[in-house]
Amino acid sequence: MLKLENIKKTFNPGTVNEKCAVQNLSLHLKPGDFATIIGSNGAGKSTMLNAVAGGFFVDEGSIILDGKAITFTPEYKRSRVIGRLFQDPLKGTAPHMTIEENLALAFLRTSRGNAPFSRISRRDKEFFKEQLALLDMGLEDRMKQPVGLLSGGQRQALTLLMATVVPPRLLLLDEHTAALDPGTADKVLELTKRVIAKNHTTCLMVTHNMQQALTMGNRTLMMDNGRIVLDVQGEERKSMTVSDLLEKFRTGAGRDLDNDRILLSAEE
C-alpha cells in the first residue's frame, strides 16, 4: 500500500546547519495498517510524514502509494488521496471561513479535484451536517459560524472530519492531540479510532505517549537518528509492556531513550 524505499533527506546541505533528518529509511504498510510512531525530538518522525505528504522532495529513495510512484508528485496532488492532521489545531483550517465552507473546500479538493467548476449541492450540505453530528460537539448547528470561533478540540475534530470526509488512501497524524487538554485529547482520540475503523483507513500516527504507541493501531514503530530501530506487531506487540518497549529501543538504538516527555508519559 505504502512503500518507502531507502529515503534520505538532508536539510541545509553544505552549511554549518546541515542536518540529515532521515537516512536509508524503508517502510512497508499494508492496506488497513495503523502504525503508531514514537521517538525523541529530532528522531525523524515528522520528517518522514512530511516526505510522504510531499512537503519536500527526498534527496534519495522512492515513495510508492498504491503501486504508483509519488516521489516527485507535488503536495497539492498528494492531498487528494492523503489526509493529514498537525499538532497545532490552528493548522488545517481557514479561520475566517465558516465550518460549511471549510468542509466544502476539503470535499471538492478530494472528491472532485479534477472538476474546476464543481459546486456544493444541497445534498452535500446535508451530508456535511450528518457528519458533523457524528462528532457529538453540536457543530452541525453552527455550520455558518467562522472556524476561528471554535475551541482547539472542536477545531481539531473538524480538521479530522475534513481529512476523512472523503476517505483518504492514507491518513497522517502528527501528534494531533498533543496541544489539547487531556479530556479533549481523549475525545479526539476516540473519534480518530472510530473514523479509522469505519473506513479501514491506512494510518501513520506520531505520538509521544508510550502507552498509546502500544494500544493504538496494530503496529508500533520507534525511530532514532533518522531511522526506524523497532517495528513490532502481532502477538509480540500484544504482550509487550512499556518496559519491554524501552528495552527493545535500547537494543535497536544502542542507547537508552532519554526524552523526558516520552519517559514521563510512561508513568501516567
Side-chain angles (χ1 to χ4, degrees):
M1 192 280 171
L2 175 69
K3 289 184 180 180
L4 307 182
E5 298 184 341
N6 297 313
I7 64 170
K8 180 180 180 181
K9 180 62 182 179
T10 299
F11 294 104
N12 305 308
T15 73
V16 294
N17 295 318
E18 179 175 312
K19 168 68 175 177
C20 183
V22 292
Q23 53 184 327
N24 301 320
L25 190 152
S26 296
L27 174 67
H28 179 201
L29 289 185
K30 301 183 295 294
D33 267 352
F34 180 176
T36 55
I37 311 166
I38 197 162
S40 301
N41 292 338
K45 307 181 300 297
S46 294
T47 301
M48 180 172 69
L49 263 59
N50 281 329
V52 173
F56 51 76
F57 294 151
V58 294
D59 302 328
E60 298 176 11
S62 60
I63 302 172
I64 301 168
L65 183 64
D66 281 342
K68 180 181 178 182
I70 61 170
T71 314
F72 300 107
T73 301
E75 183 175 18
Y76 75 92
K77 288 187 177 180
R78 297 190 204 188
S79 69
R80 295 172 185 168
V81 293
I82 298 177
R84 189 174 187 188
L85 270 74
F86 300 88
Q87 179 175 336
D88 186 352
L90 301 183
K91 289 186 176 181
T93 54
H96 300 298
M97 298 176 69
T98 66
I99 293 173
E100 180 180 285
E101 288 168 340
N102 272 270
L103 281 169
L105 282 176
F107 186 69
L108 290 175
R109 184 189 72 246
T110 51
S111 65
R112 305 172 193 172
N114 295 319
F117 300 108
S118 294
R119 296 181 61 185
I120 293 296
S121 66
R122 181 177 297 178
R123 184 177 179 180
D124 293 334
K125 293 179 181 179
E126 285 301 314
F127 173 66
F128 295 163
K129 191 169 185 177
E130 292 169 5
Q131 296 302 304
L132 285 166
L134 295 177
L135 300 180
D136 194 27
M137 291 184 171
L139 299 183
E140 68 274 16
D141 299 319
R142 302 172 61 183
M143 289 178 62
K144 298 297 183 181
Q145 290 190 5
V147 169
L149 298 179
L150 302 182
S151 68
Q154 290 171 330
R155 197 157 172 173
Q156 201 68 311
L158 174 62
T159 306
L160 175 63
L161 179 56
M162 289 170 63
T164 58
V165 64
V166 176
R169 297 286 188 182
L170 177 67
L171 182 62
L172 305 176
L173 306 173
D174 195 352
E175 293 199 75
H176 69 301
T177 62
L180 307 177
D181 66 82
T184 305
D186 287 344
K187 188 165 188 176
V188 172
L189 275 177
E190 285 303 314
L191 287 171
T192 302
K193 288 191 285 188
R194 193 169 72 203
V195 168
I196 290 173
K198 175 185 175 184
N199 299 317
H200 305 288
T201 304
T202 306
C203 179
L204 280 172
M205 185 182 91
V206 173
T207 179
H208 71 274
N209 187 297
M210 299 194 74
Q211 198 59 50
Q212 280 180 15
L214 286 173
T215 57
M216 293 281 288
N218 67 311
R219 286 175 73 175
T220 298
L221 309 176
M222 292 194 80
M223 294 187 66
D224 182 61
N225 197 29
R227 58 194 178 97
I228 295 172
V229 297
L230 179 66
D231 181 354
V232 290
Q233 55 188 304
E235 291 302 317
E236 180 184 13
R237 184 178 187 262
K238 287 181 182 178
S239 61
M240 186 170 283
T241 65
V242 169
S243 296
D244 294 333
L245 197 58
L246 289 170
E247 183 58 38
K248 288 282 189 180
F249 178 87
R250 182 183 297 112
T251 301
R255 65 180 184 84
D256 290 331
L257 183 67
D258 58 0
N259 184 279
D260 289 343
R261 185 183 181 199
I262 295 174
L263 292 174
L264 286 172
S265 77
E267 301 174 3
E268 291 176 355

